[in-house]
Amino acid sequence: MTAAARAGAEEDVRRRVPDVGSLMAALDRTNYLADAGLATALFLAVRLPQPILLEGEAGVGKTEAAKALAELLDTPLYRLQCYEGIDAGEALYEWNHQRQLLGIRLAEVRDTEVTETDLFAPQYLLRRPLLQALEHPGPRPAVLLLDEIDRADAEFEAFTFELLAESAVTIPELGTIRATHPPIVILTSNRTRDLHDALTRRCLYHWIDYPGPARIAEIVRRRVPASSGPLALQAAAVITRLRTLDLAKPPGISEAIDWVSALAVLGVARIDPGITEQTWGSIVKNRDDLELIGSRGAAWLVEGTDG
Ligand SMILES: Nc1ncnc2c1ncn2[C@@H]1O[C@H](COP(=O)(O)OP(=O)(O)OP(=O)(O)O)[C@@H](O)[C@H]1O
Ligand SMILES: [Mg+2]
């Protein structure tokens, strides 16, 4: 049964993602634009299958890549947002102590007996993303996103990886839970620290480059359908110029999307220094950066960007 289910799921995934070109087109239909390098890396992650580590600057589409992949495979995305101090209870499972206590109270009121087996039954388990991804019943494997793994401690990183390598987990009170459909795993990192060799060795790796203005404009057009082509191009050119300054928080794709959304709401068809100054808040989110940009002037920023 398990082997048959797994073979069926593999065939299903192969049909949906027969080659790199089809994956690229399917990503495009979800409004995620991937170049050939990223599409190839994601294709291999799905088809080998092998976990993939995506790195790149803030806002280059690491998290979104996992969402797009889950959407095109029509399968759930389980996301674990990592942070310093995250532990197995947050990632895998915890016992629901409150419900267990309630169970004990109810039994007292009804004058019935509760055993330990009653209290450590599956209905008292709080399933966290790793367990949910392992238990996913199909028909296709789930996508598991371990987002910003570099923020977690090194021990936690090692823990998640061992678990994923085996696609199984042992819960002392319940026994071993083995995945029928091991999840497609995407890890992301912003490189705040180096990751374990043991982790990188087991993963495919892809560095997502910061896109040029033409691609930023294309992404903006997809995400803000109300915007015009020339406005998106101009905004992308301004953002690209802003990024040549030594800013603490250089604006990225998200800021370009936010800015063009704001300009569209304001009914702006063409960016000029005046409107730029009035809408700084969409693209510059830091006082020092604002001063630095102010010293160059909005005119410098906008000059020559309207074609
Ligand atoms: N290639 C792309 N195609 C479509 N949209 C994109 C693409 N890259 C980024 N975006 C858009 O840019 C925004 C930021 O992307 P995302 O959150 O995935 O970045 P990230 O790399 O995870 O950033 P961070 O490191 O800050 O978490 C999203 O709103 C997404 O819609
Ligand atoms: Mg992210």
Side-chain angles (χ1 to χ4, degrees):
M1 166 63 190
T2 302
R6 197 179 280 204
E10 278 172 17
E11 178 52 35
D12 189 348
V13 169
R14 257 203 306 276
R15 229 183 22 247
R16 279 168 195 260
V17 184
D19 51 49
V20 176
S22 319
L23 177 62
M24 213 156 144
L27 287 166
D28 192 288
R29 284 194 292 277
T30 73
N31 283 326
Y32 185 84
L33 305 182
D35 59 19
L38 176 57
T40 305
L42 290 173
F43 175 77
L44 291 175
V46 171
R47 288 287 302 273
L48 281 171
Q50 189 175 355
I52 183 164
L53 170 62
L54 297 178
E55 285 193 334
E57 278 181 58
V60 288
K62 302 182 293 295
T63 302
E64 201 70 21
K67 292 186 189 167
L69 199 58
E71 186 181 334
L72 73 89
L73 288 172
D74 190 17
T75 199
L77 172 77
Y78 296 105
R79 175 180 182 178
L80 183 68
Q81 173 62 54
C82 299
Y83 56 88
E84 202 181 330
I86 188 172
D87 61 14
E90 279 301 311
L92 197 53
Y93 72 90
E94 263 179 319
W95 289 104
N96 189 338
H97 296 306
Q98 277 176 338
R99 277 197 70 187
Q100 285 172 323
L101 277 176
L102 207 64
I104 294 171
R105 295 254 169 76
L106 269 175
E108 276 169 8
V109 172
R110 291 176 182 155
D111 205 21
T112 52
E113 211 181 313
V114 268
T115 64
E116 257 191 38
T117 320
D118 296 331
L119 286 177
F120 291 98
Q123 72 262 34
Y124 292 113
L125 206 56
L126 284 174
R127 292 169 168 78
R128 305 294 191 203
L130 286 180
L131 184 59
Q132 288 174 320
L134 288 182
E135 283 192 333
H136 174 63
R140 289 169 292 286
V143 173
L144 174 64
L145 169 62
L146 301 178
D147 216 4
E148 305 185 4
I149 187 80
D150 52 325
R151 291 190 187 210
D153 311 317
E155 299 75 48
F156 181 78
E157 186 190 316
F159 155 78
T160 51
F161 222 74
E162 275 180 44
L163 175 86
L164 293 171
E166 287 161 27
S167 289
V169 55
T170 298
I171 298 178
E173 298 84 357
L174 294 178
T176 299
I177 295 175
R178 201 166 289 284
T180 314
H181 302 295
I184 297 164
V185 183
I186 299 190
L187 302 101
T188 78
S189 160
N190 285 47
R191 294 186 56 89
T192 57
R193 67 172 174 82
D194 279 338
L195 299 172
H196 249 276
D197 285 350
L199 180 127
T200 46
R201 220 175 19 199
R202 288 174 172 128
C203 287
L204 292 161
Y205 177 82
H206 187 78
W207 172 265
I208 305 184
D209 268 327
Y210 197 83
R215 178 157 283 254
I216 296 179
E218 214 178 319
I219 295 173
V220 168
R221 284 302 306 278
R222 295 300 187 92
R223 302 281 160 162
V224 194
S227 64
S228 73
L231 183 70
L233 265 173
Q234 204 192 355
V238 172
I239 295 275
T240 303
R241 187 169 295 169
L242 257 180
R243 289 177 59 86
T244 62
L245 296 177
D246 190 19
L247 299 177
K249 296 246 179 300
I253 299 171
S254 304
E255 284 77 11
I257 293 170
D258 290 350
W259 194 28
V260 171
S261 304
L263 295 171
V265 167
L266 293 170
V268 172
R270 199 178 139 271
I271 296 169
D272 60 31
I275 195 68
T276 305
E277 279 171 0
Q278 284 162 30
T279 52
W280 277 141
S282 294
I283 41 177
V284 189
K285 317 263 174 97
N286 176 293
R287 178 91 202 273
D288 293 340
D289 286 352
L290 211 51
E291 270 176 27
L292 181 62
I293 295 167
S295 70
R296 297 302 299 259
W300 166 78
L301 208 55
V302 172
E303 197 188 339
T305 56
D306 56 353

Coordinates of all heavy atoms in Angstrom, one line a residue, residues 13 34 87 115 191:
V13 N 3.6 13.6 -9.8 CA 4.5 14.8 -9.8 C 5.3 14.8 -11.1 O 5.4 15.9 -11.7 CB 5.5 14.7 -8.6 CG1 6.6 15.7 -8.7 CG2 4.8 14.9 -7.2
A34 N 10.8 32.9 -12.6 CA 12.1 32.3 -12.2 C 12.9 32.3 -13.5 O 12.4 32.1 -14.6 CB 11.9 30.9 -11.7
D87 N 12.6 25.6 19.2 CA 13.0 24.2 19.7 C 12.0 23.2 19.1 O 11.1 23.5 18.3 CB 12.9 24.1 21.2 CG 11.6 24.5 21.8 OD1 10.6 24.5 21.0 OD2 11.5 24.7 23.0
T115 N -6.4 6.8 32.1 CA -5.0 6.2 32.2 C -4.1 7.1 31.4 O -4.5 8.0 30.7 CB -5.0 4.8 31.5 OG1 -5.3 5.0 30.1 CG2 -6.1 3.9 32.1
R191 N 22.0 34.2 5.3 CA 23.4 34.2 5.6 C 23.8 35.1 6.8 O 24.8 35.8 6.8 CB 24.2 34.7 4.4 CG 24.1 33.8 3.2 CD 25.1 34.2 2.1 NE 26.4 34.3 2.6 CZ 27.3 33.3 2.5 NH1 26.9 32.2 2.1 NH2 28.5 33.5 3.0

